[in-house]
Amino acid sequence: MIYLALSEDLFKKLKEVLEKHKIKHKLIEDGETLFRLAKKEKPKLIVLEKDIPLLDGFATTLLLKSHPETQTIPIVGICKVPLKEEEHRAKDCGCDDILVYPFKEEEFLNKVLKYIKR
């Protein structure tokens, strides 16, 4: 199971890729819910973007990476602004990998498979 904390438009696009490859996924509405559920269910991967409700993606990543129950869950951050400083900030918060939007479906799938096949 992978968790996706994304805008609705981006989720719709990526959902098709995941369903085509039979990868179980769940859309999580906000950062607080993501943190709470990740502690309980321990997904194989979390894919999130910065602009999610309640706790933004950076704050959520910091929480996840600092909590003993969730610190080993890989996180792929999606940066919608192609600025190096945003990528650095995502890495500094603890993202294991970064995708810069727009990206190809194949690039997304390769990142997902890299982490769920571990």
Side-chain angles (χ1 to χ4, degrees):
M1 171 70 69
I2 70 169
Y3 285 176
L4 303 165
L6 307 168
S7 65
E8 193 173 322
D9 290 340
L10 187 53
F11 173 71
K12 286 178 185 176
K13 178 181 175 183
L14 300 181
K15 177 182 172 188
E16 292 176 20
V17 176
L18 296 171
E19 287 176 349
K20 185 166 48 174
H21 294 277
K22 296 178 176 45
I23 298 170
K24 291 183 182 180
H25 58 279
K26 182 187 286 190
L27 176 63
I28 308 297
E29 300 290 326
D30 60 74
E32 286 181 6
T33 303
L34 175 60
F35 181 61
R36 184 174 39 79
L37 289 177
K39 286 190 294 184
K40 281 187 202 174
E41 300 175 3
K42 314 256 186 327
K44 288 189 171 210
L45 173 67
I46 295 170
V47 179
L48 55 70
E49 61 184 303
K50 182 183 90 175
D51 297 323
I52 56 176
L54 299 182
L55 285 175
D56 73 12
F58 294 142
T60 303
T61 299
L62 281 168
L63 271 177
L64 289 163
K65 290 300 186 177
S66 64
H67 196 282
E69 293 177 47
T70 56
Q71 65 188 8
T72 60
I73 300 170
I75 299 174
V76 174
I78 295 180
C79 295
K80 285 192 169 179
V81 181
L83 297 175
K84 286 293 179 196
E85 79 178 43
E86 181 132 329
E87 290 179 52
H88 291 300
R89 200 158 163 223
K91 282 283 193 185
D92 288 346
C93 290
C95 286
D96 297 279
D97 225 324
I98 306 290
L99 276 169
V100 179
Y101 191 81
F103 47 82
K104 294 182 169 93
E105 289 179 7
E106 181 180 311
E107 187 181 358
F108 169 71
L109 181 62
N110 288 338
K111 296 264 189 203
V112 168
L113 294 175
K114 172 181 169 182
Y115 291 102
I116 65 171
K117 287 188 174 185
R118 289 182 171 182

